[in-house]
């Protein structure tokens, strides 16, 4: 799982995920894997433990042209992904596990990550 790749189609916004090297394409275009950046500014993830879950939120615009498209939680053997939509809430709950990697994708600024 630590070799996972994410790609987003610039035409239709489709999300593709792979557990390793792959030739990904959508809408007739070859897609390159996204490179994750460390969280910063308005892309800083707020992480809160609620009982046996992680509650993730971001103080981020959720407008049609600029929003967080998905939140994902990768552990050693699984992925949990929550698709978000414009004008919705930028929050999700994930089962609490140790040594996870969190990812989120901003439609303007790209992919971000945080290790917990």
């Amino acid at each position: 799982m630590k070799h996972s790749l994410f790609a987003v189609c610039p035409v239709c916004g489709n999300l593709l995920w792979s557990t390793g090297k792959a030739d990904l394409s959508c809408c007739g275009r070859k897609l390159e894997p996204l490179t994750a950046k460390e969280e910063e500014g308005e892309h800083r993830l707020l992480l809160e433990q609620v009982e046996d879950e992680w509650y993730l939120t971001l103080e981020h615009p959720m407008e049609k042209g600029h929003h967080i498209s998905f939140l994902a939680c990768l552990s050693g053997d699984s992925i949990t992904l929550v698709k978000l939509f414009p004008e919705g809430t930028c929050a999700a709950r994930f089962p609490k596990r140790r040594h996870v990697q969190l990812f989120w994708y901003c439609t303007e600024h790209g992919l971000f990550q945080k290790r917990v």
Side-chain angles (χ1 to χ4, degrees):
M1 296 298 275
K2 67 181 177 180
H3 300 291
S4 290
L5 304 172
F6 292 95
V8 175
C9 178
V11 176
C12 69
N14 191 18
L15 167 65
L16 297 111
W17 169 73
S18 171
T19 57
K21 275 191 164 185
D23 288 327
L24 303 172
S25 64
C26 187
C27 297
R29 296 178 181 209
K30 183 177 179 185
L31 303 178
E32 293 298 321
L34 298 170
T35 302
K37 302 175 266 194
E38 294 299 319
E39 63 181 345
E40 63 184 15
E42 69 179 358
H43 299 104
R44 189 163 304 279
L45 188 68
L46 304 171
L47 183 65
E48 183 180 345
Q49 182 180 340
V50 178
E51 296 176 1
D52 61 343
E53 294 180 318
W54 292 116
Y55 180 61
L56 283 61
T57 57
L58 281 110
E59 302 279 334
H60 191 279
M62 291 298 283
E63 302 160 355
K64 282 193 175 191
H66 184 206
H67 63 278
I68 300 297
S69 177
F70 69 86
L71 295 165
C73 178
L74 272 73
S75 66
D77 63 354
S78 66
I79 180 171
T80 306
L81 187 126
V82 175
K83 177 74 173 135
L84 302 175
F85 298 95
E87 301 175 8
T89 304
C90 190
R93 291 180 182 265
F94 295 106
K96 184 175 180 238
R97 297 186 176 151
R98 294 168 43 149
H99 309 293
V100 297
Q101 194 167 4
L102 304 169
F103 290 93
W104 57 101
Y105 178 74
C106 172
T107 56
E108 279 192 12
H109 301 104
L111 187 66
F112 293 87
Q113 70 176 349
K114 178 178 185 163
R115 293 184 190 273
V116 179

